[in-house]
C-alpha cells in the first residue's frame, strides 16, 4: 500500500510541476518595459517548475530507489540545488531588477558545477565508505549553498519592505509577504530534501505531498502578484529623477513646509505616498524621506499613521455619534479593519473601547 501511495504521489508531483511550469511560460503578461522584470522572473520560475517535474518523473519511469540507489540520492540533491538557484533568481529579481547579472550567475553556477562533480563522482565512481562520505559532503554543500541563497533573499526582502514603508502610507508590504512565506517553504522543502535523499519511502511520500501544496501556493501567489507588481516596483526601484533635484531642494525649508502641511490635514488624504508629499513641498522623495527618518525617528508609513491615529482620537472623543467606519475614512485610512488593527496596537484597546473610556475627550 505504501509503494502504491508513493508512486501515486510522485506521479502527482511531477505532473503538477510540469503543468504549472507550462502555465507560467505560456500565460500572458503586458509586454511593456514596466513588466519586463516580472516577465523574466515568471519565466525563470516556470523553467524551475519544469526542470523539477522532469527530474521527479525519473522516479516513476526507472524505479531508481531499487535499481540505482546512489543515483536516487545524487539526483534529488542535484535538482534541489538547481531549484534553489532558480527560485532565488526569480524571487530576488522581483524585488531587485539588477540582481541577475553576469557575476551572480558565474558565482551560483560555478559553485553548482563543483557540487555536481562531487555528488556524481560519489554516486558513480566511488565505492564503499568513500561513496557515502562524498554523498554526505555533497548534501552539506547543498545545505550551505541553499542557506546562502536564502540569506541573500531575506536581505533584499527586508530592504524592499523598508522602501515600501518609506513610500506608502498604507501597508503595501503585505503585497510581498507571500514571497517571505514562500521562501520559508522553499527553505524547508529544500533543506529537508538534503536529508530525505537518504530517507525511507514513507518520508519521501509525505515530503512530496507537502511539496505539491507549496507548488500550488507559489504559483497562485505569483500569478496574483501582477495586480500589485507596479505598486511595489515604483517604491523599490531607485528614483533617479528625485535624486537629481538637489538644487531645488536647497531652497525648501522642510521643517516649516511639513508643519504647514500637517496643520492643513494633508496626511488625511487616502492613498497618500511620499511622492505626493514631496511634490507638495517642492522637494524630492529621497530628501523628504531622510528628513522624516531623522526628525521623527520612524519611516513615512509609521509617521503618517501616528498622525492619523491622533486625529481619529479627536473624532472619537468629539463626534460621539460618528461610526468607526466613518472615523477611519475621515482619518485617511484605506479600510476600517486596518485602522482598528493599528489603533489597538498603539493604544492597547479597540477604537470603540477607547471611546467608551473617554468622557469629553479626556481619558479616564
Amino acid at each position: 500500500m505504501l509503494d502504491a501511495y508513493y508512486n501515486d504521489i510522485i506521479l502527482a508531483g511531477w505532473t503538477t510541476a510540469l503543468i504549472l511550469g507550462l502555465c507560467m511560460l505560456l500565460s500572458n503578461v503586458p509586454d511593456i518595459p514596466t513588466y519586463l522584470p516580472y516577465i523574466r522572473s515568471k519565466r525563470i520560475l516556470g523553467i524551475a517548475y519544469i526542470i523539477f517535474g522532469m527530474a521527479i518523473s525519473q522516479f516513476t519511469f526507472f524505479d531508481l530507489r531499487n535499481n540505482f540507489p546512489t543515483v536516487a540520492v545524487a539526483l534529488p540533491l542535484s535538482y534541489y540545488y538547481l531549484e534553489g538557484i532558480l527560485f532565488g533568481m526569480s524571487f530576488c529579481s522581483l524585488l531587485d531588477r539588477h540582481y541577475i547579472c553576469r557575476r551572480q550567475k558565474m558565482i551560483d553556477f560555478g559553485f553548482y558545477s563543483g557540487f555536481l562533480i562531487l555528488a556524481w563522482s560519489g554516486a558513480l565512481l566511488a565505492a564503499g565508505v568513500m561513496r557515502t562520505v562524498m554523498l554526505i559532503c555533497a548534501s552539506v554543500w547543498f545545505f550551505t549553498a541553499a542557506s546562502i541563497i536564502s540569506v541573500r533573499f531575506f536581505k533584499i526582502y527586508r530592504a524592499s519592505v523598508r522602501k515600501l514603508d518609506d513610500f506608502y502610507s498604507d501597508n503595501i508590504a503585505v503585497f510581498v509577504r507571500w514571497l517571505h512565506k514562500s521562501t520559508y517553504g522553499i527553505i524547508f522543502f529544500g533543506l529537508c530534501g538534503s536529508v530525505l535523499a537518504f530517507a525511507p519511502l514513507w518520508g519521501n511520500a509525505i515530503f512530496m505531498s507537502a511539496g505539491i501544496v507549496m507548488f500550488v501556493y507559489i504559483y497562485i501567489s505569483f500569478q496574483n502578484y501582477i495586480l500589485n507588481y507596479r505598486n511595489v516596483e515604483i517604491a523599490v526601484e531607485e528614483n533617479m529623477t528625485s535624486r537629481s533635484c538637489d538644487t531645488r531642494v536647497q531652497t525648501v525649508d522642510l521643517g516649516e513646509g511639513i508643519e504647514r502641511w500637517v496643520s492643513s490635514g494633508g496626511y488625511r488624504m487616502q492613498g497618500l505616498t511620499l511622492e505626493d508629499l514631496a511634490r507638495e513641498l517642492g522637494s524630492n522623495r529621497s530628501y523628504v524621506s531622510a528628513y522624516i527618518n531623522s526628525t521623527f525617528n520612524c519611516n513615512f508609513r509609521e509617521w503618517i499613521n501616528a498622525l492619523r491615529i491622533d486625529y481619529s482620537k479627536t473624532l472619537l472623543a468629539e463626534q460621539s455619534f460618528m461610526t468607526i467606519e466613518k472615523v477611519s475614512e475621515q482619518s485617511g485610512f484605506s479600510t476600517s479593519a486596518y485602522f482598528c488593527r493599528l489603533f489597538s496596537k498603539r493604544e492597547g484597546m479597540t477604537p470603540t473601547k477607547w471611546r467608551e473610556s473617554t468622557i469629553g475627550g479626556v481619558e479616564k
Side-chain angles (χ1 to χ4, degrees), residues 267-327:
Y267 59 87
R268 300 199 300 270
M269 183 179 76
Q270 290 190 354
L272 178 69
T273 69
L274 183 66
E275 194 73 56
D276 296 326
L277 175 57
R279 191 181 304 113
E280 183 71 22
L281 297 175
S283 182
N284 68 65
R285 79 185 217 185
S286 298
Y287 215 77
V288 175
S289 176
Y291 180 87
I292 292 172
N293 294 167
S294 61
T295 303
F296 302 105
N297 198 30
C298 60
N299 59 49
F300 176 72
R301 183 173 67 86
E302 292 169 339
W303 176 59
I304 292 298
N305 284 334
L307 292 171
R308 289 173 173 176
I309 292 293
D310 287 342
Y311 182 77
S312 72
K313 291 167 70 175
T314 301
L315 293 181
L316 288 169
E318 297 178 358
Q319 306 292 330
S320 58
F321 296 102
M322 184 178 287
T323 64
I324 299 301
E325 289 75 13
K326 193 66 176 178
V327 170

Side-chain angles (χ1 to χ4, degrees), residues 6-206:
Y6 172 80
N7 291 329
D8 289 344
I9 201 66
I10 291 296
L11 175 62
W14 68 260
T15 53
T16 299
L18 285 176
I19 292 171
L20 295 180
L22 289 173
C23 290
M24 281 280 190
L25 293 178
L26 299 177
S27 59
N28 292 323
V29 176
D31 190 14
I32 55 179
T34 300
Y35 290 95
L36 289 181
Y38 178 84
I39 294 172
R40 179 179 60 179
S41 295
K42 187 167 71 72
R43 288 173 179 168
I44 293 173
L45 190 61
I47 292 171
Y49 271 46
I50 290 174
I51 290 175
F52 185 84
M54 293 174 63
I56 287 291
S57 69
Q58 305 307 305
F59 287 87
T60 295
F61 298 131
F62 298 108
D63 192 17
L64 296 178
R65 286 191 166 275
N66 293 320
N67 297 329
F68 307 98
T70 56
V71 173
V73 173
L75 181 60
L77 288 176
S78 298
Y79 60 70
Y80 287 148
Y81 193 152
L82 181 57
E83 293 298 292
I85 293 174
L86 294 177
F87 271 94
M89 287 183 170
S90 178
F91 283 11
C92 288
S93 62
L94 271 182
L95 301 177
D96 179 5
R97 63 166 60 194
H98 307 294
Y99 173 79
I100 301 178
C101 60
R102 182 179 179 182
R103 179 177 178 274
Q104 192 62 60
K105 288 186 286 188
M106 289 180 64
I107 291 173
D108 286 341
F109 287 106
F111 279 103
Y112 182 59
S113 299
F115 162 83
L116 290 177
I117 293 172
L118 175 64
W120 288 99
S121 294
L124 301 177
L125 302 179
V129 175
M130 181 56 67
R131 170 182 289 171
T132 302
V133 170
M134 291 179 72
L135 289 175
I136 291 176
C137 287
S139 179
V140 172
W141 187 326
F142 160 69
F143 188 96
T144 303
S147 299
I148 292 172
I149 293 172
S150 302
V151 169
R152 197 184 298 156
F153 166 78
F154 285 124
K155 285 183 179 179
I156 294 174
Y157 174 83
R158 285 193 292 269
S160 299
V161 169
R162 285 195 298 270
K163 289 181 179 179
L164 288 168
D165 287 342
D166 267 332
F167 187 78
Y168 289 103
S169 57
D170 296 322
N171 187 22
I172 303 299
V174 70
F175 295 147
V176 296
R177 198 159 295 159
W178 70 271
L179 282 167
H180 193 263
K181 295 178 181 178
S182 297
T183 300
Y184 274 117
I186 293 167
I187 292 171
F188 176 80
F189 190 78
L191 298 186
C192 285
S194 66
V195 176
L196 288 174
F198 304 90
L201 211 62
W202 62 266
N204 282 273
I206 295 174

Side-chain angles (χ1 to χ4, degrees), residues 239-254 274-288:
N239 191 323
M240 300 308 296
T241 302
S242 68
R243 293 190 170 210
S244 65
C245 301
D246 288 349
T247 55
R248 182 181 61 178
V249 168
Q250 303 307 319
T251 65
V252 176
D253 187 329
L254 288 181
L274 183 66
E275 194 73 56
D276 296 326
L277 175 57
R279 191 181 304 113
E280 183 71 22
L281 297 175
S283 182
N284 68 65
R285 79 185 217 185
S286 298
Y287 215 77
V288 175

